[in-house]
Amino acid sequence: MSTAPPDADELSRRAGEFLAAHDPAATEPLEFLRARFDAGLAWVHYPEGLGGLGAPRHLQPAVDRRFAEAGAPTNHPERNGIGLGMAAPTILAFGTEEQKRRFLRPLWTGEELWCQLFSEPGAGSDLAALATRAVRDGDAWTVNGQKVWTSMAHEARWAILVTRTDPGVPKHRGMTYFVCDMTAPGVEVRPLRQITGEAEFNEVFLTDVRIPDEHRLGEVGQGWRVSTTTLMNERVAIGGSAAPRESGMIGVVAALWRDRPELRTPGLHDALLRAWVETEAARLTGARLRQQLTAGEPGPEGSGAKLAFAKLNQEVSGLELELLGEEGLRYDDWTMRRPTEVDFTRRSPGYRYLRAKGNSIEGGTSEILRNIIAERVLGLPGEIRVDKDVAWKDLPR
Amino acid sequence: MSDLLYGEIENDLRASVREVLGDRAPWASVLAGTERDEPCDAALWRTVAGELGCAGLPVPEELGGAGATWRETAVVMEELGRSAAPVPFLSSAVIATAALLAAGERELLAGLAAGERIAVLAVPFSAAPGDVRTTVEAADGTLTGEVTSVADGMAAEVLLVPAGDGLYAVDAADARRTAATSLDMTRRLADLAFSAAPARRVAEGTGAVRAALRTGAALLASEQLGLAERCLDDTVAYVKTRYQFGRPVGSYQGLKHRLADLWTSITQARAVARHAASCVAADDADTPIAVAVAQAHCSAVAVKAAEECVQMHGGIGFTWEHPAHLFLKRAKADAIALGTPDRHRAALASLVDLPPA
Ligand SMILES: Cc1cc2nc3c(=O)[nH]c(=O)nc-3n(C[C@H](O)[C@H](O)[C@H](O)COP(=O)(O)OP(=O)(O)OC[C@H]3O[C@@H](n4cnc5c(N)ncnc54)[C@H](O)[C@@H]3O)c2cc1C
C-alpha cells in the first residue's frame, strides 16, 4: 500500500493498456463500463477497488478525454448528475465499506440513477428546518413526509434522503441521513410541471416507508454534517466542470454569431464578447479549483464557481434570444413531458433561457451562496439567528 | 492546461517581497511620497530590484538574471499591486526587460536585471499590444519626434524608442522630458521630445515592441489582482469593526453580498492572471487570447474592487488621508494602460473569430 499514487504518465499508460484490451467498438457498453470501473479508471482519485487509483483529482479530465477520443461508451453523466456529483462523494466520505461496495459501481456505470430528497415545501434554503420524520423501529426506520422539486425522481433507483429523527433538539442536531430505495412501498412520485412546460422535477410522498438501518449514512443525528458534504460537492459539480473552451451556452451563441451575419448588431457584439471573456474566466477558475482540490475536499470556494455559472448561463441564454430576434419569439414545445436528462444544448433557445432561471435556485440560491462566501470565506458576521437554540418542534412554521 | 497554482518558491518570494514592502512602503509613506517631487522611490527600487533580485527573475542566468520565469515575476507584480508602491517595476523590469530579451540585447539587459539601471519603453502607457505605430523618426543614428504619457519616463536612464525601422536606445539625458500630472500619483507619466538625439538601434522591426507590450499586459493583470485583493482585505477588515445602528456594517446583507461577489470576481481574476503569466512564461500559442482575456477581465475587477472599497468605507473612503484613493487611481489608470478592456475585447474578436456587426 506504500506505492506512490499514479501520475499523469502512469494513468495515460494504464488507459492505453485498458483500451487495447477492451476494444470500445467491439465490447458491450455495460461490460466496458464495469471493466473501466474495476480498472480504477472511472474516477481516478477514488481509492483502489472503488473505481479509482488514489490519483490526484485534477488528472481526471485527461483520462476522460482519452476515453472519449477512443470512442468509448459513456455513462451518460447528463442523466445521473446527482448520483455522480453528490451521492457518490457523500457515500465515499460517510459510507461503510459495505455501502461503498454496494452502491458506487452501479452508480458510476449508470445502471442505477440517483435523486436527492432534500427540499420540502416548508424547507428550501433553510434545509435544516425539514419535517420528514424517521422513527426507529428495530433494525429499520419508518419514514413519513413530503419532498418537493426532486429532479429526476421518476428515473431514479435510489435517493439520498435527509430526515428529522429528533424533534426535541435544535434543528441542526436532530437530523439523520439515509439512502432511500425509490422502489420501496410507500414512495410515491408525482410530476411537478415547471417553467419550461415539462416536469423534470417531482413531488415525492413518503408514507410509512421502511428503510433498513444498514442504509443509514453517517451517525444518527449527524444528518446535517453529511448533508453539508453533499451540498459542497454539488456546488463544485455545477461550477467546477472541466468543459473545453467555448463549450456550453457560449458555444451555442458564438456559433450562431458566426453562422448568421444578418443577426449581428454592434451592441450585441459587445455583450457577446463580454460574456465570452467571463465564460473563459469561469472556465479557468474551475480548472484552478480542480487543481486546488487535488488533495482535499471541496470547501466553500465551490460556491463562487456555482454563483458565476448561474449568472453567466442566464446572461448568455438571454442574449441568444435577443440575437435571434423574431425567432426568439417562438418556443419549441410546451407539452408536459417527463425528460430523462437535462441537456441545454440540444433544446431550443427559449428552453435554454427558461431553464437557466433554475440555475440560481437549484443547489442553493445565489443569495444563500453569497451568505456562505461572506461568512465562511470572508468571516463577516452571521445573519441574526432566532432559531439557533430552540428545539425544532418549537420553531414557528 | 497551465499550472494555475503557486509553487513553494513563489510563496517564499511573495513572503519576502511582502515583508519588505510592508516595512518600506506602508501606504502612509506611499501617500507622503506623492507630495514629493521625485519620479519614484529610488531606495525602494534598489531593494526590490537589486537586493531581492526581482528585476532579474525572468532573465536567463547567462544574461545576468536569476533564470526564473514570468510566473515568478507575476507574483512580485501582485505584491506591488497590493501596496501601490511607486517603483518602475512594470516599466523597467517587465516591459523594457521583455523588449531587450526579445531583442537579445545583452549589455543593457544585465544592468536592468541587476536593478542598477532603469529603462522604459517610450510609448504612451495606454498603448495596446498591437499598437506599433510610432511618432518618432530615425535618421543617421539620431531620433526626432515626441512621445506623450510614458510611464516612469522621468525615472528612466535609458529610453527604448520605437522609431522608423526598429527599436532604439537613447540616453535619457539626450531627450527633453516634461513631467505630467498623472491620474495615478504612484506611477507618473512624462512627455518626451527628441531632436536629433543620438540613438543606437537595438532591434529591427516591431517584434520586440509587440513582445514587450504583450508581456506587460499579461503581467499587469497580476498587479490588478493584487490591488483588488488589497482593497477587498481592507474593506472586509473595516466593515467588521465599523458599527452603525448597533451592528457591524459588515453584518448587513446589502454589503455582505457585494463583498461575496467581489471575492468571486477576484478568484476568477486569479485564475485568469495566472493563466496569462504562465502563457507568456511558456511562450504558449494561447498567449494572445490569454492576454486579451486577462486585460478585459482583470481591469474591470480591480476598478470594481477599488470603487467598492471607497464606497464601503463611507466618508472615510473619500478622504485624502485614507489609502483607498491611491488604489482607485492606480486601478483606473491600469484599466486604460496597455489597452482598455474594449480594445482587448476587439482584439479577442478577431483572435476567436467573432467578427463585428
Ligand atoms: C430546477 C430545480 C431543481 C431542483 N432539484 C432539486 C432536487 O433534486 N432535490 C432537492 O432536494 N431540491 C431540489 N430543488 C430545490 C432547491 O434546492 C430549492 O428550491 C432551493 O434550495 C431554494 O429553496 P426554496 O425554493 O424553498 O426557496 P426559499 O428558501 O423560500 O427562498 C425564497 C427566496 O428567498 C431567498 N432567501 C431565503 N433565505 C435567505 C437568506 N437567509 N438570505 C437571503 N435570501 C434568502 C432565496 O434566495 C430566494 O430568493 C430544485 C430546484 C430547482 C429550481
Side-chain angles (χ1 to χ4, degrees), chain A residues 214-270:
Chain A
E214 336 42 297
H215 286 177
R216 172 164 50 76
L217 216 49
E219 300 303 313
V220 175
Q222 291 278 301
W224 179 250
R225 230 187 106 209
V226 186
S227 307
T228 309
T229 297
T230 308
L231 297 175
M232 299 282 191
N233 276 289
E234 179 168 22
R235 282 146 207 174
V236 172
I238 296 177
S241 98
R245 173 183 285 163
E246 208 186 85
S247 52
M249 215 71 104
I250 197 77
V252 173
V253 184
L256 183 65
W257 183 270
R258 291 184 191 113
D259 296 347
R260 306 270 304 270
E262 77 280 7
L263 298 176
R264 297 174 190 162
T265 70
L268 290 174
H269 190 238
D270 188 55

Side-chain angles (χ1 to χ4, degrees), chain B residues 315-330:
Chain B
I316 287 171
F318 197 71
T319 55
W320 190 265
E321 270 69 39
H322 188 276
H325 68 101
L326 293 174
F327 293 106
L328 180 65
K329 292 162 188 172
R330 170 67 69 94

Side-chain angles (χ1 to χ4, degrees), chain A residues 56-392:
Chain A
R57 191 175 176 132
H58 69 268
L59 298 179
Q60 182 77 40
V63 173
D64 290 342
R65 249 193 326 275
R66 182 81 188 262
F67 276 84
E69 281 160 13
T74 81
N75 57 356
H76 298 287
E78 67 286 354
R79 299 191 59 205
N80 199 18
I82 289 172
L84 294 163
M86 288 108 90
T90 311
I91 293 168
L92 183 70
F94 288 95
T96 61
E97 211 47 41
E98 253 170 44
Q99 289 171 336
K100 291 180 204 171
R101 292 198 181 277
R102 163 63 189 85
F103 292 120
L104 290 177
R105 190 166 96 154
L107 187 163
W108 187 81
T109 59
E111 287 163 79
E112 293 179 346
L113 306 182
W114 287 67
C115 69
Q116 180 187 21
L117 295 173
F118 279 24
S119 304
E120 299 183 4
S125 297
D126 188 7
L127 174 61
L130 59 84
T132 293
R133 276 285 271 151
V135 178
R136 182 104 198 203
D137 176 13
D139 293 345
W141 297 76
T142 304
V143 179
N144 279 286
Q146 185 198 340
K147 297 288 177 176
V148 72
W149 305 304
T150 317
S151 304
M152 300 293 162
H154 53 289
E155 289 282 298
R157 175 66 181 77
W158 296 99
I160 41 178
L161 165 71
V162 219
T163 64
R164 173 126 347 254
T165 43
D166 187 352
V169 295
K171 61 183 183 179
H172 289 95
R173 282 191 254 144
M175 298 161 68
T176 303
Y177 197 115
F178 294 98
V179 167
C180 175
D181 182 347
M182 292 299 284
T183 65
V187 176
E188 192 202 338
V189 176
R190 292 187 203 156
L192 187 56
R193 201 172 183 194
Q194 62 205 43
I195 201 166
T196 54
E198 63 189 15
E200 168 193 322
F201 53 37
N202 303 268
E203 292 179 294
V204 178
F205 295 85
L206 304 165
T207 312
D208 292 330
V209 177
R210 301 269 296 169
I211 298 184
D213 192 54
E214 336 42 297
H215 286 177
R216 172 164 50 76
L217 216 49
E219 300 303 313
V220 175
Q222 291 278 301
W224 179 250
R225 230 187 106 209
V226 186
S227 307
T228 309
T229 297
T230 308
L231 297 175
M232 299 282 191
N233 276 289
E234 179 168 22
R235 282 146 207 174
V236 172
I238 296 177
S241 98
R245 173 183 285 163
E246 208 186 85
S247 52
M249 215 71 104
I250 197 77
V252 173
V253 184
L256 183 65
W257 183 270
R258 291 184 191 113
D259 296 347
R260 306 270 304 270
E262 77 280 7
L263 298 176
R264 297 174 190 162
T265 70
L268 290 174
H269 190 238
D270 188 55
L272 173 62
L273 287 168
R274 284 173 191 270
W276 200 98
V277 168
E278 262 194 80
T279 307
E280 179 64 0
R283 186 182 75 90
L284 291 168
T285 309
R288 188 163 195 275
L289 185 62
R290 284 194 312 282
Q291 291 177 3
Q292 257 179 321
L293 282 178
T294 297
E297 288 300 308
E301 291 79 9
S303 297
K306 200 249 173 193
L307 197 57
F309 163 82
K311 176 173 167 280
L312 260 171
N313 247 17
Q314 295 177 348
E315 236 168 62
V316 179
S317 59
L319 183 66
E320 187 188 8
L321 281 192
E322 284 181 53
L323 181 58
L324 282 168
E326 184 185 337
E327 284 165 64
L329 295 171
R330 294 163 176 268
Y331 194 67
D332 61 343
D333 184 9
W334 291 116
T335 312
M336 206 304 258
R337 309 178 310 134
R338 299 187 90 186
T340 55
E341 61 177 38
V342 182
D343 187 344
F344 282 82
T345 52
R346 270 186 252 163
R347 288 286 306 275
S348 70
Y351 170 86
R352 282 195 274 278
Y353 173 71
L354 294 173
R355 181 59 185 82
K357 293 291 165 278
N359 294 153
S360 52
I361 301 171
E362 61 194 327
T365 68
S366 291
E367 289 76 21
I368 293 296
L369 298 184
R370 290 188 180 102
N371 281 349
I372 290 173
I373 293 168
E375 290 168 25
R376 293 197 220 149
V377 181
L378 301 178
L380 292 169
E383 295 303 296
I384 290 168
R385 296 295 291 266
V386 294
D387 56 353
K388 219 169 157 184
D389 301 314
V390 184
W392 176 83

Side-chain angles (χ1 to χ4, degrees), chain B residues 255-334:
Chain B
L255 298 197
K256 282 168 76 169
H257 284 191
R258 276 158 56 190
L259 287 166
D261 283 339
L262 193 54
W263 177 84
T264 303
S265 304
I266 291 173
T267 57
Q268 293 192 330
R270 183 174 297 106
V272 162
R274 280 269 90 185
H275 183 57
S278 301
C279 282
V280 288
D283 201 11
D284 194 294
D286 212 20
T287 304
I289 293 178
V291 169
V293 167
Q295 276 307 301
H297 188 78
C298 297
S299 294
V301 173
V303 170
K304 181 79 182 170
E307 288 176 350
E308 290 287 58
C309 181
V310 170
Q311 176 66 20
M312 292 194 205
H313 277 82
I316 287 171
F318 197 71
T319 55
W320 190 265
E321 270 69 39
H322 188 276
H325 68 101
L326 293 174
F327 293 106
L328 180 65
K329 292 162 188 172
R330 170 67 69 94
K332 197 67 189 175
D334 277 0

